[in-house]
Amino acid sequence: MEVKLPTFDSVFSIDCVIFGFEAGELKILLIERNEEPFKDWLALPGYIVSQDESIDDAAERILYELTGLRDLHMQQFHTFGEVKRHPQGRVITVAYYALIRINGQKELKPVTQYAKSAFWHPVNDLPKLAFDHSEIFNTGFNKIRRRLNYQPIAFELLPEKFTLTQLQSLYEAVLNKKLDKRNFRKKMLSYGFLKELDEKQKGVSYRAAKLYKFDRRKYAKIFQNELNLVQ
Amino acid sequence: MEVKLPTFDSVFSIDCVIFGFEAGELKILLIERNEEPFKDWLALPGYIVSQDESIDDAAERILYELTGLRDLHMQQFHTFGEVKRHPQGRVITVAYYALIRINGQKELKPVTQYAKSAFWHPVNDLPKLAFDHSEIFNTGFNKIRRRLNYQPIAFELLPEKFTLTQLQSLYEAVLNKKLDKRNFRKKMLSYGFLKELDEKQKGVSYRAAKLYKFDRRKYAKIFQNELNLVQ
DNA sequence: AATATAAGGTGTCGAAATTACACCACTAAA
DNA sequence: TTTAGTGGTGTAATTTCGACACCTTATATT
């Protein structure tokens, strides 16, 4: 039996591409839809913007409702406005992305009925997604690749304390290529925004590595100058 | 007497930030509005997207209707979605930019009633604009500044044949700083996408400079490779 | 205790790119 | 013919980038 769905004249929506890093692998956050159209399909967390909230606020709310995650720093990266992208009517969607550390403790749990579940999925080997979400994902992934070259976005994806090897394997996962260990370390340390800690890795069955922290204040200073250089 | 204006529930619009270069000065395209709200104010060319057109198509159509210009390659750069940005209701606007050569012959002439006139205005010393258009302009200007560092967008702004000094003064106008003449020439020529012509400038009261052309095919080849390097 | 395993950590050299910097050449107008 | 104004050019010092290999340290295994 076919169900007649309501149609939209003109609706704004938000879709979120949320990257995480776990076990040396880059992942994104997907939901299993619990609503027509595309019921039971996998999709990016996304929903409709309300009348009385800015799109930035909507992005935060929607991600929370569908996945239980909040207080990420999301940034919009592209707006998708093809006429036929949603079967029920005209929906223009603003796509946001964020990078976060996957934290085993934090449970992913939708707080609305619109999603059955939310989970992390490796970016390699993604299944077909609902709507044009595969395209949205690709656009977002290309953007963060390019951004990684001039902004230290990688630190959002790592635990607070991390080793240089972890940092390198994250870069390698995002850029999808091997990097030279000595050159990578030299370069990262030369930026001056890594703070070496008096601590070492624990619980590994080999020589433990030094832990580092990302020093936001130093980064802010350096970045200030770089903006001047660019101009 | 106060006129009661219609209100919108939910509307998409497009605003265009179009850069041109003339007489050593960077300019943008403004219109004089002929409609409430902000009647008689200066604004970016912008209007509402129809139901049955993609946002990219809408951008082309709207720019044409308000200024008479068409066939530019516009790109979206940001979407503005604050709740109160339009006094009549909820309007989310996708901002596009383009860079074009200002061509004295081409008349700027609105083909709708919504604009009284369209004209070029220097980017320094912009007046206050309608809605949040000043903010939209600033965001767009910062984007092209950054883009100038890794894409040869400057060539869109110059006449087909240009001198190296003209090219340099354009870079200086966009980046807002002086550049070294010898280093600038060395670098530009080293890219290999400038074609030296057998012609010289005419009608100047000093030594005439050689003219150059931008070689798109060579650029495409080079850029192909650069993409690989980045990744 | 000895050994194997696995990652941590380090330096140098050559090539390439970037910066700083100053003077003569040419053309037209006065 | 002189002057004003821009066109056009090279070199040396510095910095950055990329390639490349081996010893050290910690744990687990025998």
Side-chain angles (χ1 to χ4, degrees):
Chain A
M1 187 188 98
E2 184 143 326
V3 182
K4 183 83 177 169
L5 294 168
T7 59
F8 308 128
D9 270 0
S10 181
V11 174
F12 315 123
S13 70
I14 300 287
D15 287 300
C16 304
V17 181
I18 310 296
F19 292 91
F21 188 65
E22 193 179 45
E25 214 176 16
L26 194 64
K27 302 186 174 179
I28 64 160
L29 193 49
L30 296 180
I31 61 163
E32 193 179 358
R33 286 177 61 87
N34 197 23
E35 260 205 330
E36 292 293 351
F38 292 99
K39 187 160 163 26
D40 303 326
W41 282 58
L42 301 183
L44 298 174
Y47 208 70
I48 293 168
V49 178
S50 316
Q51 282 292 317
D52 56 351
E53 62 185 350
S54 73
I55 54 176
D56 289 351
D57 292 346
E60 287 220 22
R61 173 184 61 79
I62 289 167
L63 184 70
Y64 172 68
E65 290 181 356
L66 293 171
T67 69
L69 292 179
R70 58 170 125 197
D71 295 327
L72 315 192
H73 287 292
M74 287 193 278
Q75 281 183 66
Q76 65 161 263
F77 66 88
H78 197 78
T79 296
F80 294 82
E82 290 303 312
V83 176
K84 302 280 186 200
R85 53 173 302 282
H86 194 295
Q88 279 165 272
R90 188 67 195 276
V91 180
I92 292 182
T93 198
V94 184
Y96 279 71
Y97 61 59
L99 306 152
I100 65 168
R101 52 192 68 125
I102 296 180
N103 193 329
Q105 296 86 298
K106 240 182 242 165
E107 207 187 349
L108 294 176
K109 193 173 167 191
V111 300
T112 64
Q113 302 303 311
Y114 304 129
K116 267 189 244 178
S117 65
F119 57 93
W120 292 104
H121 192 286
V123 296
N124 299 318
D125 175 46
L126 273 191
K128 205 163 159 32
L129 301 179
F131 306 105
D132 54 354
H133 286 188
S134 299
E135 183 193 346
I136 294 175
F137 163 75
N138 284 324
T139 305
F141 195 20
N142 286 329
K143 290 247 174 176
I144 71 152
R145 272 191 192 144
R146 245 168 288 145
R147 193 161 294 195
L148 190 66
N149 288 305
Y150 54 91
Q151 280 186 29
I153 57 178
F155 301 100
E156 311 290 339
L157 290 157
L158 291 173
E160 201 195 352
K161 300 171 182 182
F162 52 85
T163 70
L164 292 179
T165 300
Q166 285 166 351
L167 182 60
Q168 183 176 342
S169 71
L170 171 53
Y171 268 75
E172 290 177 342
V174 173
L175 299 177
N176 195 30
K177 71 172 178 191
K178 290 296 271 178
L179 301 172
D180 177 82
K181 183 160 67 161
R182 278 175 292 189
N183 292 338
F184 180 81
R185 285 164 182 244
K186 214 186 315 172
K187 188 160 179 184
M188 281 297 144
L189 293 171
S190 77
Y191 288 138
F193 51 59
L194 289 180
K195 189 152 67 186
E196 186 180 331
L197 301 175
D198 268 344
E199 262 179 280
K200 295 205 166 180
Q201 232 178 350
K202 280 188 182 128
V204 290
S205 72
Y206 45 80
R207 177 177 175 184
K210 277 187 216 155
L211 291 170
Y212 290 81
K213 249 174 127 168
F214 175 53
D215 188 332
R216 268 171 209 290
R217 283 177 46 197
K218 281 202 181 141
Y219 172 69
K221 263 192 212 159
I222 295 160
F223 192 60
Q224 195 88 351
N225 293 336
E226 266 181 39
L227 262 186
N228 295 339
L229 285 180
V230 169
Q231 291 177 27
Chain B
M1 188 188 96
E2 183 141 330
V3 181
K4 183 80 177 170
L5 293 168
T7 60
F8 308 128
D9 270 0
S10 181
V11 174
F12 316 124
S13 69
I14 300 287
D15 287 299
C16 305
V17 181
I18 310 296
F19 291 90
F21 188 65
E22 193 179 45
E25 216 178 11
L26 193 64
K27 303 186 173 180
I28 65 158
L29 192 50
L30 295 180
I31 62 163
E32 193 180 358
R33 285 178 62 85
N34 197 25
E35 260 204 331
E36 291 294 351
F38 291 98
K39 186 161 168 16
D40 303 325
W41 281 59
L42 300 184
L44 299 173
Y47 207 71
I48 292 168
V49 178
S50 315
Q51 282 292 317
D52 56 352
E53 62 184 351
S54 73
I55 55 176
D56 289 351
D57 292 346
E60 286 219 22
R61 174 185 61 79
I62 289 165
L63 184 69
Y64 172 68
E65 290 180 356
L66 292 171
T67 69
L69 291 180
R70 58 168 125 196
D71 297 327
L72 315 192
H73 287 292
M74 288 194 278
Q75 282 185 65
Q76 66 162 262
F77 66 88
H78 197 78
T79 296
F80 293 83
E82 290 303 311
V83 176
K84 302 281 185 198
R85 52 174 301 283
H86 194 294
Q88 279 165 270
R90 188 67 195 277
V91 181
I92 292 181
T93 198
V94 184
Y96 278 72
Y97 61 58
L99 307 150
I100 65 167
R101 51 191 69 123
I102 296 180
N103 193 328
Q105 297 88 295
K106 240 182 242 166
E107 208 186 348
L108 295 175
K109 194 174 165 192
V111 301
T112 65
Q113 302 304 311
Y114 304 129
K116 265 189 246 179
S117 65
F119 57 93
W120 292 104
H121 192 288
V123 297
N124 299 318
D125 176 45
L126 273 190
K128 205 161 159 32
L129 301 178
F131 306 105
D132 54 355
H133 286 189
S134 298
E135 184 193 344
I136 295 175
F137 163 75
N138 283 325
T139 305
F141 196 19
N142 285 330
K143 290 249 174 173
I144 70 152
R145 270 189 192 145
R146 246 169 286 145
R147 192 159 295 196
L148 191 65
N149 288 305
Y150 54 91
Q151 281 186 28
I153 57 178
F155 302 99
E156 311 289 338
L157 290 156
L158 290 172
E160 202 195 348
K161 300 170 182 182
F162 51 85
T163 69
L164 292 178
T165 302
Q166 285 166 352
L167 182 61
Q168 183 176 344
S169 72
L170 170 53
Y171 268 76
E172 290 177 343
V174 174
L175 299 176
N176 196 28
K177 73 170 178 194
K178 288 297 270 178
L179 302 172
D180 178 81
K181 184 160 66 162
R182 278 175 294 191
N183 293 336
F184 180 80
R185 285 165 181 242
K186 213 186 317 172
K187 188 160 180 184
M188 281 297 144
L189 292 172
S190 78
Y191 288 138
F193 51 59
L194 289 181
K195 189 152 66 186
E196 186 180 330
L197 301 176
D198 267 343
E199 263 179 281
K200 294 205 164 178
Q201 230 177 354
K202 280 188 183 131
V204 290
S205 73
Y206 45 80
R207 177 176 174 184
K210 277 187 219 156
L211 291 171
Y212 289 81
K213 250 174 126 168
F214 174 53
D215 187 332
R216 268 172 209 289
R217 282 178 45 198
K218 281 201 182 142
Y219 172 69
K221 264 192 214 159
I222 295 160
F223 192 61
Q224 196 88 350
N225 294 336
E226 266 179 42
L227 263 186
N228 295 339
L229 285 179
V230 169
Q231 288 179 25

